[in-house]
Amino acid sequence: MRTDDHQMIGRVARLYYEHGLTHAEIASMLDVSRIKVTRMLADARRRGIVEITVHSDERPFADLEEALVERFGLQSAWVSPSGRSDDDRAAASLALSGADALGAVLPRARRVAVGLSRSVAASIAQLRPLELPELEILPLAGSRAGRANGADPHELVTSLAHVTGGTPFHLPAPLIAAGPDAAAAVREDPDTRAVLEAAAAADVLVVGIGGNQRAAQALRRWITESEFEALRDLGAVGDVSARFFDADGNTVHGEVDERVVSLTLDELRSIDVRVAMAGGPEKRDALFTALACGLVNVVVTDVDSATDLLERTAPSARTA
């Protein structure tokens, strides 16, 4: 880390933890974005500039977590505070709970597959270093070309390997190819096929859940708004790394699905431990379906979303 970066992170940390300033106040004072403040605070904790010790194993929302496990037949659940009027704080809290979930499931894993997700990226950034040299870390899908944003499977594999000491594997393929024929050719490439087969044999899956209100930022390069509207017309309620599913948890077939280079939903379901991280009102319909239809069996979400999910009438949930 450059000296000036280290100094800036230290300044942000002292203003937040010692002087009690909010993210917005710090951003205004230092002329940076609130998102950058959030990232620097995460870096401060991850790099040991800030150390916080809470001498308790009590989870703040244990009752909600137990209710989610019972209602949806889950293996486990983590619930974080909702941000109400502060989306940055909600995202930071979700990342902390996501890091707790990763810290619980990864030490028991031999191989983990990760998918496109900003929430997963933020959780990895909060994860304290683990010593898991035997862990294999694979992408479940291809990645985007162009500027890095930290949330592509390729980047997540690298980040997670760095913090765990595990072995990263990369998939030399796009997330969504230009057309069905191009995608089929990529999937038949021996190197691509080998990585996807290894990812399908993972014992832990870690993914985000996309909603259906609009095309996710990460997918806009390949899926137009008109194509996204067509997916909604076909019944899509959400996606996992561009694999769209309907309200019954089934694949939404069509040209978009044929262009995706990733594990199928059925292959994802075959993995024993399936962790989903998602929060906020725009993700709740998709997250509800993913839980009720057994697409995932471990959840990390916020209080308001957890409460909403528990109040809904569900189809018969598949047990984990």
Side-chain angles (χ1 to χ4, degrees):
M1 177 188 290
R2 300 197 310 269
T3 300
D4 53 347
D5 288 340
H6 188 86
Q7 291 172 340
M8 176 62 83
I9 291 171
R11 292 171 64 191
V12 168
R14 296 196 69 179
L15 288 171
Y16 183 76
Y17 289 107
E18 295 182 356
H19 297 277
L21 273 64
T22 66
H23 289 214
E25 289 169 337
I26 296 170
S28 176
M29 183 175 296
L30 299 181
D31 194 26
V32 297
S33 69
R34 287 197 303 169
I35 291 176
K36 187 169 184 178
V37 170
T38 299
R39 289 175 178 168
M40 285 191 286
L41 288 172
D43 278 343
R45 293 189 63 186
R46 184 164 59 87
R47 297 177 184 276
I49 296 172
V50 171
E51 295 182 355
I52 299 174
T53 303
V54 178
H55 296 287
S56 173
D57 293 328
E58 292 298 319
R59 286 159 69 161
F61 306 105
D63 291 346
L64 271 178
E65 292 167 355
E66 291 173 6
L68 286 169
V69 168
E70 182 176 355
R71 170 68 184 279
F72 295 103
L74 306 179
Q75 293 188 8
S76 53
W78 278 262
V79 175
S80 65
S82 297
R84 312 277 179 199
S85 60
D86 190 339
D87 290 342
D88 288 343
R89 185 166 296 176
S93 291
L94 188 72
L96 286 172
S97 293
D100 287 343
L102 292 175
V105 303
L106 291 181
R108 303 194 301 268
R110 175 185 56 85
R111 180 180 291 171
V112 58
V114 295
L116 175 74
S117 171
R118 292 183 182 274
S119 294
V120 174
S123 296
I124 293 172
Q126 294 285 5
L127 183 62
R128 291 187 177 276
L130 300 170
E131 293 186 9
L132 304 172
E134 302 301 319
L135 183 65
E136 296 180 345
I137 308 164
L138 298 106
L140 65 84
S143 294
R144 304 183 313 161
R147 180 180 298 175
N149 71 351
D152 281 324
H154 175 94
E155 297 170 283
L156 295 181
V157 164
T158 301
S159 298
L160 190 55
H162 178 74
V163 76
T164 62
T167 301
F169 291 75
H170 295 305
L171 181 61
L175 174 62
I176 303 177
D181 290 341
V186 170
R187 287 193 294 266
E188 287 304 311
D189 175 79
D191 290 338
T192 300
R193 187 168 63 248
V195 173
L196 288 176
E197 288 175 352
D203 42 16
V204 172
L205 171 74
V206 182
V207 297
I209 302 291
N212 74 342
Q213 298 304 310
R214 58 183 175 82
Q217 184 71 35
L219 302 180
R220 288 181 184 174
R221 177 172 180 175
W222 300 288
I223 302 178
T224 65
E225 283 298 331
S226 61
E227 288 175 320
F228 198 75
E229 183 63 33
L231 286 166
R232 284 196 292 266
D233 290 342
L234 291 171
V237 298
D239 79 282
V240 175
S241 295
R243 289 294 189 190
F244 287 86
F245 54 87
D246 63 20
D248 294 319
N250 298 318
T251 299
V252 177
H253 294 286
E255 182 176 341
V256 170
D257 190 65
E258 292 174 356
R259 291 164 51 201
V260 176
V261 180
S262 131
L263 298 184
T264 66
L265 293 182
D266 285 340
E267 287 173 324
L268 298 181
R269 280 195 180 94
S270 71
I271 297 174
D272 290 339
V273 180
R274 305 181 297 280
V275 183
M277 301 180 184
E282 73 282 359
K283 302 289 186 73
R284 290 173 191 166
D285 289 345
L287 184 56
F288 174 76
T289 296
L291 293 173
C293 297
L295 183 56
V296 299
N297 56 18
V298 176
V299 66
V300 180
T301 193
D302 61 89
V303 167
D304 290 349
S305 295
T307 302
D308 177 88
L309 294 169
L310 290 168
E311 290 175 349
R312 298 189 182 207
T313 301
S316 298
R318 302 179 189 181
T319 57

